[in-house]
Structure formats: C-alpha cells, structure tokens
Amino acid sequence: MLASNFTARRSLCVAARRNASSASAALFNREPAAPRIRTTSLPGPEAQAAVSQLDRVFDTRSLNMLVDYDQCCGNYLADVDGNVFLDVFSQIASIPIGYNNPALARTASSPSMVSALINRPALGNFPSRDWAEILSTGLLRAAPQGLDQVFTAMAGSDANETAYKAAFMWRRAQERGSADFTDAELSSVMLNQAPGSPNYSILSFSSGFHGRLFGSLSTTRSKAIHKLDIPAFDWPVAPFPKLRYPLEAHQAENEAEEHRCLRETEKIIDQFRNPVAAVVIEPIQSEGGDNHASPAFFRGLRELTKRKGVLMIVDEVQTGVGATGKLWAHEHWGLTSPPDMVTFSKKAQAAGFYYGDASLRPNKPYRQFNTWMGDPARALIFRTILEEIERLRLVDNTSSVGGYLYSRLDSLSRQFPDEIQNLRGKDRGTFIAWDSPRRDAIIKTAKSKGVNMGGSGERTIRLRPMLIFQKHHADILLDTLEQIFKSA
Amino acid sequence: MLASNFTARRSLCVAARRNASSASAALFNREPAAPRIRTTSLPGPEAQAAVSQLDRVFDTRSLNMLVDYDQCCGNYLADVDGNVFLDVFSQIASIPIGYNNPALARTASSPSMVSALINRPALGNFPSRDWAEILSTGLLRAAPQGLDQVFTAMAGSDANETAYKAAFMWRRAQERGSADFTDAELSSVMLNQAPGSPNYSILSFSSGFHGRLFGSLSTTRSKAIHKLDIPAFDWPVAPFPKLRYPLEAHQAENEAEEHRCLRETEKIIDQFRNPVAAVVIEPIQSEGGDNHASPAFFRGLRELTKRKGVLMIVDEVQTGVGATGKLWAHEHWGLTSPPDMVTFSKKAQAAGFYYGDASLRPNKPYRQFNTWMGDPARALIFRTILEEIERLRLVDNTSSVGGYLYSRLDSLSRQFPDEIQNLRGKDRGTFIAWDSPRRDAIIKTAKSKGVNMGGSGERTIRLRPMLIFQKHHADILLDTLEQIFKSA
C-alpha cells in the first residue's frame, strides 16, 4: 500500500513488465521513447538561476546538471528545465536498475526501511535481529565464489581502506604468530612510528583509481589533480599493461607487455623499501581511462601474489554488479583460487569488502571497527537490486546488449577511425570505452542532443549505462554518435 | 498518511505530545515506565542462538546486544529476548531523538525520502533541484556561527579526512599564490613524493580520537588497539591537558597544565619536521576517556593557530548536536573568531564539515570530490532532527536535565568516592563521565539491571543519553547506580 501510494504520485514512471522474458522487452514501460531537449542551450534558464543559488553554499564547479529526480525514469535523466536525457553515465556508474525503479520504491517505503533509517545502529555492537538474514539474503548472495564473509562500509574509499587495514593486520599476524603485541609496538604506535605502525605498503598500478581518502588516495595513480597537495604514503606503483588495439592485431606484443608488467611487479614486491602486504587492482581501470588487461595477466598476478605471500585485493567498486556481463568482472579471468578480498560500492548502493579466509578477521575485536560500519538502509536497497537482477536476468542483458553495442561501435570505428580509437570492452558487457581526440567536445555535443555520457583518463569516453540498458537505447546512443561524427 | 500507516504497525511507540512545553513533560508518551529484564542471564537464549548464526558471516566479537529495533521506543532499547533497557549509550552517542521517533518516521516514509533512496545522485555532478533548499533548511541551519558552507561526507572518519585535505590544499595555496602547479609537482605526486605530495602534517592531541581510516587514524591517539599494525603518517602529537578534579580545588595547577600544553603545541608547530597545516581537536575527548579542558585553553589554541597561520579544525563528531547543552560544544568557549572548520557526524545522522572561508574551496574543481559526497537521504533525516530539537527545545532539555544529573552524581560521588572518581561534565549538559576502578563490572551489572551504559578510555564510564533524556530517566539511572554501589 505504501508503495502504490508512492507510485501513484509519480505518474511518469511505473511498474516494469512482470513477464519480461527476453532482453528486448521494455523493462520500464513508461520510459520516454527518446531524449527531449527543450531549451535552446544548456544549462537552461531554470538551471542557471538555481545553480547560482546553490553555489553560495556548495561548490558547484564540478556540476554537470541540476536534476529533477521526480521526472527521471529508467534510463532517462531529467533536468530542471524539462530536458530529458538518455543517461549512459548513470551517476558515475552507480545507478544499477533505473531511476524511480518501482521495486526499489517498494523497498524504500517498507516498514523495514523506515526502521533502518530512523534507528541507525552501531552495527558492530548492536546489530538488529535480522542483520544475519539481511546479509545472507542480500549482500552475501552476491558474494564472489570462494568468499563468504563481508565487512560493510560506506563508500568505495573506505571499502578499500578497511580492506587495506585487514591486509596489514594479516601480514603482521603472519610474522607475529600467536605472540601478543610487544611493549615496543604498544608505545611506538602512539607516536605513529615503527614497529607499532609498520612501514608496510600496498602496491597499486599506474593509472589505477581506488579512492580519495588518505590510504586509498596513496594507491590512486589516475591523475595528478586527484592527488596534488595531499600527503601520501611511500607506497609503490607497478606498471599496468598498455595494450595496443585492436587486440587481435597485436597479440604477441601485448603478451610481452603483460609479462613485462608482471616481472616488474615481482621485482617491486621483492625489493621495495616498504614491504608489500597487498596488491590492489581493478579488473578494468575505470577512472584511469578504461584500461584493460587479459585474463592471463590477472591469473599471473594471482599466481605471483600467492607465491610471494602477498594478498590480492580486487577493487570492483566500478566494475562490480553486472555491467561487464558477469556479476563480478573478475569472473572473466578463470581464476583457480579466488582473490583474497573483493571490494564493492557504486551499483551495489552499499559498500564494503568480501573475504573468504577467517585469518582476515583480526586477532582481537575492535581492531576493524567503527561506529556505523555501513548502513542497513543501503543493505536493504542492495538486496532488492540483486532480486531484480535475477528476476529480469540483467547480467544476461548487459552481456547481449553489450555485444550488440560493441559490434556496432566497431563498425562505426571503421567508418570514423579518427573519432573512435582503441575501442575496448569486447565481451565485457556494456563496459565499453574508446579514445577520442576531441573527447570533451563530443560529450558536450552529445548532451545537447540528449545523451549524457562521461569521460575518464585523458581522452577516453566511457559508457556506463545501467543494467536495464537495452538494444533500443543502444540505437539512440549509436545514432547520436553517428550524427555527430557525420557533421564533423 | 504514509506515516500513520507506519505508526499503526508499531503500537509500542507513538507520537510525542505536541504541547510539550516544559522539559518534564514526556517526550514519548508510550515509552516504557522502566527497564524490564526477563531473562535470568544476558545474553538470553534467543540472543545466544542468533549470535552464533550471525557469527558465521560477520565478526561478532564486539557485539554487545542483538536488538529488536521494532520494539525500541524513545530512550528504551529492546533485545531479541524481550529485555528492555534504558539506553544511555545511544549507539555510541549517535541516536539523537529516540528510537522509532514519530517525526523521523514521517520523514523516512515521505516521497522525498523514497526518491533520495532510490535515485542516489553523484552530488558533485548531478545534485537534485532541491539540494540547495535541503542544505539551507537543514544542515546549514545548524551551521556554527561564522561558518556558512558545508562539504558533505558519509561518516566521522571521512568528515575529518576531507577537512584535512581542505587544510593541505589551503596551505599549499598560501605558498603557491596564483601560480599553477609546477612540472615537478605534477610528476612527483604520481609517485607519492614531494613536492607534489608534500610532507605536511596535522597536529592532534594525546588521547584524541578522530577516526579509523588512514589519515584520521594517524591523528587518533586514543588507544594502541585502534592503531596497531596500520601504517601511519609521521604527524605530531601534542599533550592534551590532564586536569585534576574537582576543578575548584585545583585551579592554579590546572591553569599551569593548560599553559604547558599550549607552549608545547607552539613548540611543535615551530619545530616539527613535517610542517603543520592544521590542528584538530575535540571539545571533549570522547573515546579517549572524556577528557576536558577549559574554555581558556581552547581560546588560547585559537589565538595560537591564528598567530601561526595554522588552521583549527574542531572535531564535533561526538560532541555536536546538542548533548552538551549547546548545539555545538565549542559554543561554550566564547571564541571571538570561529574555528576554520567544524566536523560532524553521529547525532547528525549525516556527516561532513562546515567552513566559512571561500579560500577553503580549492582553486580547481575535482580536487575535493568523490562520487556520492554524502547521502541526501541522511541529510533529510538531519533536517527533521533539527526541527525536533527546535520544536521540543531539546538543547535546553539537555542543559537542565544534565544539571540535575550532574548534581546528583556529585552527591553520589561524595557518598561513594571509590566508585565515582573525577566526575566531569559540569555545565556540559548530559555529556557527563567519571572514572571507575571497576568500570567493566559496573557496566555489566548495570546492564543486568536494565541500564545500557558505555565506557571510554581506560577506566571511564561515559554517559551519552539522547537529547530526549529527562529527569525521570536520570532518576532510573541514578537509582540503579546507587543500588550497585550499595551492594558492593
């Protein structure tokens, strides 16, 4: 009843077809048929007035659009001037199953949600009676193979940082065995000095992005602007393979490059002045420009980290939850032994890390702890997201729509080789990107034609549609790109 | 209508009296009259079974109680065995206006909340049309005097860390002026080396607690267990005054101690190897054992930081939002110039930092940025919390109830000087604490009698009741303590 009351108010966007059995059925049957641009320029007059108001109290220099969320529906984003955009950026890859999704609306207006919002627990001390059930029917149902425990967090940065903390505690436990902390550790740690605060490190890869707080930012290597003026730990960076495209044409050379990067990584693990406790890596480097490596590279990294006694943390903050045609992108690798930890956020709308090994629970309580330890309200949302992914077979959807989208982009790239360079993301669902020498202009023009896209790296256009992105949406995107390229 | 439907379901806990005009009127008229312990031991049989279930997937070693939130009401916390406790710990000081608060329930089931939950924006890029209004009628209505801008975050740790980032960027801007980044900065920063990653520092105080991520943990100096095995920045720690109680009897000595600490702080700012960009301090050191200093000490620190060109960040994560008898604890100091930043979380149920000076907006966009930048759902909750604080005059309530509680504890401490040592928090609302040589046993016994209390530091009992804690609740707490002391 709560949900129907809610849905009635939002006439724009109502229930998905229950019998959607093929990927081509509409998943939102009141979605607009196409984008609609009403103002002669962007931002429109309403937005301009409202932004200057907002800027008095909130930095608006990174603002892209002032959104009327009540008017958004499915894959479509509406601004305050009544312009409606096909959204293939999805709040920086973080909207999973569409704006004003009716199933999420039901969950969001349920008594359980109200309770979660108004009785926010300190989860480590006072979890709710149904927390085990919420975890096992939600977050843990999504757990990658081989990992059956979860530590909940708030966003991608602290998901990674709590994983790093687990790695450091694990590493010291290997050395310390069952011995207790020494007096030297107990006193030096209060002064931030070794041995209590050891000079261990996390190895990350060039162009990687893992967040913006102090530990995660020390592993982020995407762009200087993300890091400038902020103190950082003396942690090592290894080269991420720079593959040449098309892959088929550069197989031997790309293999050699990946071997070189693995050898370099091994050398750093062996020699870096601050011992490496863990390696963190994205399956596809997203903020850094959608850089891919082959499954063989990642299998090699798993083998190397095992051999060196270094943990492997797979950062699936952006790649996780279905967009690559698998629930987790690292499922594409065919690992024989799972990563030690997998972090998540964004499309999960909740955050944290999965792990499999009880040795990653520290030896004492209150070492991996904080007041809220995540948010049960967001865990409830993720459970519904997973249910919808299963009910509507959305991972299959990203796989098939992604295949279609990639092949048409591939054709376009042959037609407009200057516009679409280094197309990548084959067999990776809708997680597709290419380089564009005039990237920012293309994104701006696409927006004026009603398609909201995003960039990454120095000159990459990355597609990050939602899991409900279908063939007819892909056609709108493709036709818009073709128009832009033709009129260039 | 949504709210009444919700409330009907939860018969335990219904609307507050609208005409509550004095602090003695019940703020929740269906609150239990007293705690009720039904099981012969704690945890009870239901809890024991459920915890072992939960432990399979979630570390339960820090678990205090498995809670039935549907049965909680106002100041009362209910466990899964039907035991009902007067809660003076409040989810580590983070529940502001009572469990199942009806005003929060209305907000939580409103269409705006549903939209905030299911259409989570990347706030820096795509804020909602009403974000300016949500900020100005909510978060910014609570802004401390002299600060009129806000950066939103997720929890206390990242609230502090984003404030530290602002301080570092500000510091470099002072040195750099209008010059752009140098080539040396742009290249060194990608290797985490100076000058791009400068060796600046944040100065914090002994026993302070500022969070558990890498930057915030580097400023946390509460306990070794919070920090062990985690790499930390080489940042300085200054002595926090160790006052002797009762204050009246040790005035000269305490003044000398505070002067010593200020002199030592000045020396560190002048001499520490890594230049100090900001000082971070709690108005009352909470996790570290409820350590107080006088308003004169904090005024001295403000004067010192101004004189040295160092920013002053006041961490009000635990002290903020009303419990000290002021909305912000630093209002007790009589500063003539405001802190540069004030961080908040916990009882705000939202997080971030306030600031006043446009120079704390970095020179370029995307330097202080992340995908979500907080959570509009939680900002809506905070707005209602503030409305209820104003409507029910809850800051006055904590001031008057706190005064009553303190004076009766003061009497008890004379009667039982071994049990209540160094009582502190006079004129600080309900933010009261004392030292107890058998702290853990007292807390355990109180729990068995239906009062849920918390500890901090090595041997401190800290009271952290909600803002709706009243005289009759205080009497239950006091009577319970007296019983325990008498039967010792």
Side-chain angles (χ1 to χ4, degrees):
Chain A
M1 187 197 157
L2 293 167
S4 64
N5 182 300
F6 165 77
T7 309
R9 191 180 156 275
R10 287 198 168 65
S11 55
L12 180 70
C13 192
V14 299
R17 280 187 197 152
R18 288 305 170 129
N19 57 353
S21 60
S22 79
S24 63
L27 298 173
F28 273 78
N29 59 10
R30 294 275 180 100
E31 251 193 343
R36 180 188 65 198
I37 299 300
R38 294 164 54 151
T39 59
T40 50
S41 64
L42 292 174
E46 288 248 4
Q48 286 184 32
V51 169
S52 70
Q53 192 78 12
L54 178 58
D55 190 66
R56 292 183 202 164
V57 293
F58 188 81
D59 187 345
T60 60
R61 287 172 300 171
S62 56
L63 191 136
N64 180 315
M65 193 185 295
L66 206 63
V67 178
D68 184 345
Y69 284 100
D70 287 349
Q71 296 304 315
C72 296
C73 184
N75 292 279
Y76 285 87
L77 181 66
D79 75 9
V80 294
D81 289 280
N83 299 305
V84 175
F85 304 83
L86 176 68
D87 189 5
V88 296
F89 194 38
S90 312
Q91 308 294 328
I92 316 182
S94 75
I95 294 285
I97 54 174
Y99 294 110
N100 289 309
N101 181 289
L104 288 184
R106 281 190 293 276
T107 297
S109 47
S110 68
S112 306
M113 178 61 78
V114 173
S115 180
L117 285 169
I118 71 178
N119 300 312
R120 187 170 193 173
L123 269 174
N125 287 161
F126 301 95
S128 66
R129 68 179 311 150
D130 55 356
W131 184 234
E133 191 220 333
I134 291 170
L135 288 177
S136 53
T137 60
L139 281 168
L140 285 166
R141 213 168 59 183
Q145 210 179 358
L147 309 180
D148 60 3
Q149 317 225 352
V150 67
F151 183 86
T152 46
M154 302 292 293
S157 283
D158 65 319
N160 282 330
E161 296 207 1
T162 49
Y164 300 171
K165 286 180 68 170
F168 290 127
M169 290 189 271
W170 174 88
R171 168 64 180 251
R172 282 293 292 141
Q174 304 306 300
E175 297 164 353
R176 186 186 285 127
S178 60
D180 209 345
F181 306 117
T182 65
D183 288 345
E185 285 176 320
L186 292 167
S187 57
S188 60
V189 76
M190 299 312 290
L191 299 171
N192 293 5
Q193 303 295 323
S197 304
N199 291 323
Y200 290 156
S201 65
I202 304 286
L203 179 147
S204 59
F205 288 86
S206 53
S207 306
F209 184 95
H210 304 288
R212 289 171 170 269
L213 301 175
F214 287 85
S216 47
L217 189 62
S218 292
T219 55
T220 284
R221 313 279 181 169
S222 44
K223 288 182 184 173
I225 198 76
H226 299 152
K227 293 169 69 74
L228 279 158
D229 299 348
I230 312 299
F233 287 110
D234 186 16
W235 291 355
V237 56
F240 189 84
K242 286 190 199 298
L243 302 190
R244 294 194 62 187
Y245 291 84
L247 296 175
E248 307 78 62
H250 300 88
Q251 214 167 339
E253 166 180 9
N254 287 339
E255 258 181 44
E257 166 69 356
E258 292 191 337
H259 278 128
R260 179 186 75 83
C261 293
L262 284 174
R263 278 198 311 274
E264 197 60 35
T265 305
E266 178 161 2
K267 203 156 81 181
I268 294 169
I269 292 173
D270 288 340
Q271 300 177 0
F272 192 73
R273 53 194 168 272
N274 298 320
V276 175
V279 162
V280 63
I281 194 160
E282 298 157 276
I284 300 165
Q285 290 190 328
S286 307
E287 300 301 308
D290 268 52
N291 309 310
H292 292 246
S294 75
F297 172 79
F298 291 103
R299 287 194 301 267
L301 187 65
R302 173 70 288 195
E303 182 279 319
L304 169 64
T305 49
K306 279 270 180 201
R307 181 155 49 83
K308 297 289 173 184
V310 161
L311 299 181
M312 179 172 175
I313 302 169
V314 177
D315 176 342
E316 293 243 28
V317 167
Q318 190 154 162
T319 54
V321 192
T324 68
K326 303 272 188 190
L327 192 60
W328 300 102
H330 76 266
E331 292 172 43
H332 287 286
W333 303 340
L335 293 180
T336 51
S337 120
D340 298 292
M341 289 177 263
V342 172
T343 63
F344 60 94
S345 182
K346 291 197 187 280
K347 271 190 288 293
Q349 298 275 302
F353 67 92
Y354 294 107
Y355 60 104
D357 191 329
S359 72
L360 288 172
R361 286 192 187 184
N363 64 341
K364 299 189 186 205
Y366 288 104
R367 300 190 67 195
Q368 185 76 286
F369 184 86
N370 60 68
T371 295
W372 286 332
M373 286 179 37
D375 186 344
R378 294 293 173 186
L380 292 172
I381 292 279
F382 187 31
R383 180 165 68 181
T384 301
I385 291 167
L386 286 170
E387 285 164 1
E388 289 300 287
I389 287 174
E390 286 176 18
R391 186 177 71 82
L392 299 168
R393 302 181 201 169
L394 293 179
V395 179
D396 292 347
N397 180 63
T398 62
S399 176
S400 66
V401 175
Y404 171 75
L405 179 59
Y406 182 90
S407 77
R408 279 208 49 198
L409 284 166
D410 196 30
S411 305
L412 269 184
S413 77
R414 286 165 218 273
Q415 205 179 337
F416 302 99
D418 291 344
E419 300 283 7
I420 297 187
Q421 301 176 357
N422 304 321
L423 179 66
R424 42 210 191 269
K426 190 177 182 189
D427 301 326
R428 288 298 178 273
T430 56
F431 216 95
I432 294 170
W434 64 89
D435 294 335
S436 167
R438 50 189 195 112
R439 189 256 315 264
D440 295 351
I442 299 276
I443 289 176
K444 196 174 168 194
T445 309
K447 191 175 170 188
S448 74
K449 294 177 181 295
V451 175
N452 182 48
M453 304 196 302
S456 65
E458 295 305 324
R459 54 187 200 120
T460 298
I461 290 176
R462 56 172 159 170
L463 302 182
R464 293 294 175 273
M466 303 165 199
L467 309 180
I468 55 163
F469 187 78
Q470 294 173 275
K471 183 170 172 295
H472 62 277
H473 303 113
D475 286 332
I476 293 171
L477 166 65
L478 291 157
D479 293 349
T480 304
L481 289 171
E482 192 170 359
Q483 264 180 44
I484 297 173
F485 298 157
K486 281 189 172 157
S487 68
Chain B
M1 186 197 155
L2 294 166
S4 65
N5 183 301
F6 166 78
T7 309
R9 191 180 156 273
R10 287 199 168 66
S11 55
L12 180 70
C13 193
V14 297
R17 281 185 198 156
R18 288 302 169 133
N19 58 353
S21 60
S22 80
S24 64
L27 298 174
F28 272 79
N29 60 10
R30 294 276 180 98
E31 251 193 343
R36 180 188 66 197
I37 299 299
R38 294 163 55 150
T39 59
T40 50
S41 64
L42 293 173
E46 288 249 3
Q48 285 182 33
V51 170
S52 70
Q53 192 78 12
L54 178 59
D55 190 67
R56 291 182 203 164
V57 293
F58 188 81
D59 188 347
T60 61
R61 287 171 302 171
S62 57
L63 191 137
N64 180 314
M65 192 185 295
L66 206 64
V67 179
D68 185 346
Y69 284 101
D70 286 349
Q71 296 304 313
C72 297
C73 185
N75 292 278
Y76 285 89
L77 181 65
D79 76 8
V80 294
D81 289 281
N83 300 304
V84 176
F85 304 83
L86 177 67
D87 189 4
V88 296
F89 194 38
S90 311
Q91 308 294 327
I92 317 182
S94 75
I95 295 284
I97 54 173
Y99 294 111
N100 289 310
N101 181 288
L104 287 184
R106 281 190 293 277
T107 297
S109 47
S110 68
S112 306
M113 178 62 78
V114 173
S115 179
L117 285 168
I118 71 178
N119 300 314
R120 188 170 194 174
L123 269 174
N125 288 161
F126 301 95
S128 65
R129 67 179 310 150
D130 55 356
W131 185 233
E133 191 220 334
I134 291 171
L135 289 177
S136 52
T137 60
L139 281 167
L140 285 167
R141 213 168 61 184
Q145 212 179 357
L147 309 180
D148 59 3
Q149 317 225 352
V150 68
F151 183 86
T152 47
M154 302 291 295
S157 284
D158 65 318
N160 282 330
E161 297 207 359
T162 48
Y164 300 171
K165 287 180 67 171
F168 290 126
M169 291 189 271
W170 174 88
R171 169 65 180 252
R172 283 292 292 139
Q174 304 305 300
E175 298 164 352
R176 185 185 286 127
S178 59
D180 209 345
F181 307 117
T182 65
D183 287 345
E185 285 177 321
L186 292 167
S187 57
S188 60
V189 75
M190 300 311 291
L191 299 170
N192 292 6
Q193 304 294 322
S197 304
N199 290 323
Y200 290 157
S201 65
I202 304 287
L203 179 149
S204 59
F205 288 86
S206 53
S207 306
F209 183 95
H210 304 286
R212 289 169 169 272
L213 300 175
F214 286 84
S216 48
L217 190 62
S218 292
T219 55
T220 284
R221 312 281 181 167
S222 45
K223 289 182 183 171
I225 196 78
H226 299 151
K227 292 169 70 74
L228 279 158
D229 299 349
I230 312 299
F233 287 109
D234 186 16
W235 291 353
V237 57
F240 189 85
K242 286 190 198 300
L243 302 189
R244 294 195 61 187
Y245 291 83
L247 295 176
E248 308 78 63
H250 300 88
Q251 215 167 337
E253 165 179 11
N254 287 340
E255 259 181 42
E257 166 69 356
E258 292 192 337
H259 278 127
R260 179 186 74 83
C261 293
L262 284 175
R263 279 197 310 275
E264 196 61 35
T265 305
E266 179 161 1
K267 202 156 82 182
I268 294 168
I269 291 173
D270 287 340
Q271 300 177 1
F272 191 73
R273 51 194 168 274
N274 297 321
V276 176
V279 162
V280 63
I281 194 160
E282 297 157 277
I284 300 165
Q285 289 189 328
S286 307
E287 300 301 309
D290 268 53
N291 308 310
H292 292 246
S294 74
F297 172 78
F298 291 103
R299 286 194 300 268
L301 187 65
R302 174 69 289 195
E303 182 278 321
L304 170 64
T305 48
K306 280 269 180 202
R307 182 156 47 83
K308 297 290 175 185
V310 160
L311 298 181
M312 179 171 175
I313 302 170
V314 176
D315 176 343
E316 293 243 27
V317 167
Q318 188 153 164
T319 53
V321 192
T324 68
K326 303 272 188 191
L327 191 62
W328 300 103
H330 76 267
E331 292 172 42
H332 287 285
W333 302 341
L335 293 181
T336 51
S337 122
D340 297 291
M341 288 177 263
V342 172
T343 63
F344 61 94
S345 182
K346 291 198 187 281
K347 271 191 287 293
Q349 299 275 302
F353 67 91
Y354 294 108
Y355 60 106
D357 192 330
S359 72
L360 288 172
R361 286 192 187 183
N363 64 340
K364 300 189 186 206
Y366 288 104
R367 300 189 68 193
Q368 184 79 285
F369 184 88
N370 60 68
T371 295
W372 286 331
M373 288 181 33
D375 186 343
R378 294 293 173 186
L380 291 172
I381 292 280
F382 187 31
R383 180 165 69 179
T384 301
I385 291 167
L386 287 170
E387 285 164 1
E388 289 301 285
I389 287 174
E390 285 175 19
R391 187 176 70 84
L392 299 167
R393 302 181 200 170
L394 294 178
V395 179
D396 292 347
N397 180 63
T398 62
S399 176
S400 66
V401 174
Y404 170 75
L405 179 59
Y406 183 90
S407 78
R408 278 207 53 197
L409 284 166
D410 195 30
S411 305
L412 269 183
S413 78
R414 286 165 219 273
Q415 206 180 337
F416 302 100
D418 292 345
E419 300 284 7
I420 296 187
Q421 300 175 358
N422 304 321
L423 179 66
R424 43 209 190 269
K426 190 177 181 187
D427 301 327
R428 289 297 178 274
T430 56
F431 216 94
I432 294 170
W434 64 89
D435 293 335
S436 167
R438 51 189 195 108
R439 189 256 315 264
D440 294 351
I442 299 276
I443 288 176
K444 194 174 170 194
T445 310
K447 191 174 170 188
S448 75
K449 293 177 183 294
V451 176
N452 183 49
M453 303 196 302
S456 64
E458 295 304 323
R459 56 191 199 116
T460 297
I461 291 175
R462 57 172 158 170
L463 303 182
R464 293 294 175 272
M466 302 164 200
L467 308 180
I468 55 162
F469 187 77
Q470 294 172 275
K471 184 171 171 297
H472 62 277
H473 303 115
D475 286 332
I476 294 171
L477 166 65
L478 291 158
D479 293 349
T480 303
L481 289 171
E482 191 169 0
Q483 264 181 43
I484 297 172
F485 298 158
K486 280 189 170 156
S487 67

